[in-house]
Amino acid sequence: MKRIVLFASGSGTNVENVVQYFSENNQVEIVAVLTNKKEAQVLDRCARLKISAIYFNRHAFMESNLISDFLNNLNLDLIVLAGFLWRIPKSLIDHFPDRIINIHPALLPKYGGKGMYGMKVHEAVKENSEPETGITVHYVNEHYDEGAIILQVKTFVDAADTPEIIAQKVHKLEYEHFPQVIEKLLFKG
C-alpha cells in the first residue's frame, strides 16, 4: 500500500481530483489532507469525500516539530502540495528527500517564487503577452518553486485569452497530468 498526504491552502480542486483519481486504486491510500487555513474550502471537500482533514497553524508547522512528528509516524511514500502556499521547512525536506512534490500553474522558472500563485500567475502571463503557459510539477526544496522539475506541460495562450480563460486551460492540464505524475512516482522502479 502506497501512502500519501496532501497539503492545500484553498478550495481543494486539485485535492478532490487526486482523491477521485485514486478512489478505485486499492494500492494507494490518501491518509489525510493538511491545511493552514481554518476556512479553506478544501475542508468542506474533505468532509464530503470522507477524507481526514487537519488544520494547523504557523507555530505548529514552522516553529515546532508537531507536524513533522505527525508526518513521520504515518509511514508516507509521498507528500503532495496541491495549492499549498507556505514554504516547506528545511527540516521536513531533509526528512522526506525527493518525496515532497508541488504543482505550479506556470512554466517554471517563469512566474514562480513567493507570492506567485493562482490568478496572480495567470494575470502576469496575460500582462506579458506570453504565447504559452502551462504547469510544472517539481520536487520541493527550501526555496519557492526552485526544486528539480519532474514534468512540464504547455498550452498555447491566444492574444484574446483573459486571465480566467488562461486559468481554465491550466486547470485542465493540472487535472489531467498531476494525478498521473503522482502515480508514476509512487510506483517507479
Side-chain angles (χ1 to χ4, degrees):
M1 176 71 72
K2 301 292 185 177
R3 297 167 56 86
I4 63 175
V5 161
L6 294 112
F7 279 69
S9 295
S11 68
T13 56
N14 269 311
V15 167
E16 182 166 357
N17 186 52
V18 170
V19 168
Q20 288 177 343
Y21 184 86
F22 289 110
S23 65
E24 302 296 320
N25 187 330
N26 60 6
Q27 296 179 7
V28 176
E29 179 184 3
I30 298 173
V31 179
V33 174
L34 280 70
T35 185
N36 60 325
K37 301 234 175 169
K38 283 184 198 176
E39 294 83 27
Q41 290 176 339
V42 71
L43 294 170
D44 297 329
R45 284 183 198 274
C46 289
R48 183 171 42 79
L49 296 166
K50 297 180 175 36
I51 299 289
S52 296
I54 300 162
Y55 159 76
F56 60 88
N57 63 23
R58 184 170 291 278
H59 176 77
F61 192 59
M62 302 286 193
E63 300 164 20
S64 79
N65 292 327
L66 188 65
I67 298 301
S68 293
D69 291 347
F70 173 75
L71 294 171
N72 290 341
N73 290 323
L74 295 178
N75 193 26
L76 296 174
D77 294 285
L78 201 58
I79 296 172
V80 177
L81 309 185
F84 184 69
L85 302 181
W86 286 355
R87 190 171 62 211
I88 303 300
K90 187 171 180 345
S91 61
L92 199 56
I93 293 165
D94 290 344
H95 191 80
F96 293 96
D98 296 328
R99 289 192 291 155
I100 305 174
I101 65 168
N102 183 43
I103 188 164
H104 187 76
L107 299 171
L108 293 174
K110 288 186 171 183
Y111 309 109
K114 186 173 183 173
M116 290 304 291
Y117 60 89
M119 286 305 293
K120 293 177 182 184
V121 173
H122 309 309
E123 289 164 356
V125 166
K126 174 67 177 175
E127 185 177 307
N128 290 299
S129 302
E130 293 287 352
E132 63 185 11
T133 190
I135 61 168
T136 303
V137 181
H138 64 93
Y139 288 107
V140 173
N141 66 15
E142 59 271 11
H143 305 287
Y144 283 109
D145 302 324
E146 293 183 16
I149 292 172
I150 300 165
L151 175 75
Q152 286 189 314
V153 183
K154 298 176 182 179
T155 186
F156 290 101
V157 177
D158 188 276
D161 287 352
T162 64
E164 291 76 17
I165 291 171
I166 295 169
Q168 289 173 0
K169 290 179 175 183
V170 169
H171 287 310
K172 184 176 178 187
L173 294 178
E174 290 174 344
Y175 301 154
E176 178 182 352
H177 295 280
F178 198 30
Q180 294 172 9
V181 170
I182 293 167
E183 186 172 43
K184 285 177 187 170
L185 291 173
L186 288 173
F187 296 101
K188 68 181 176 185

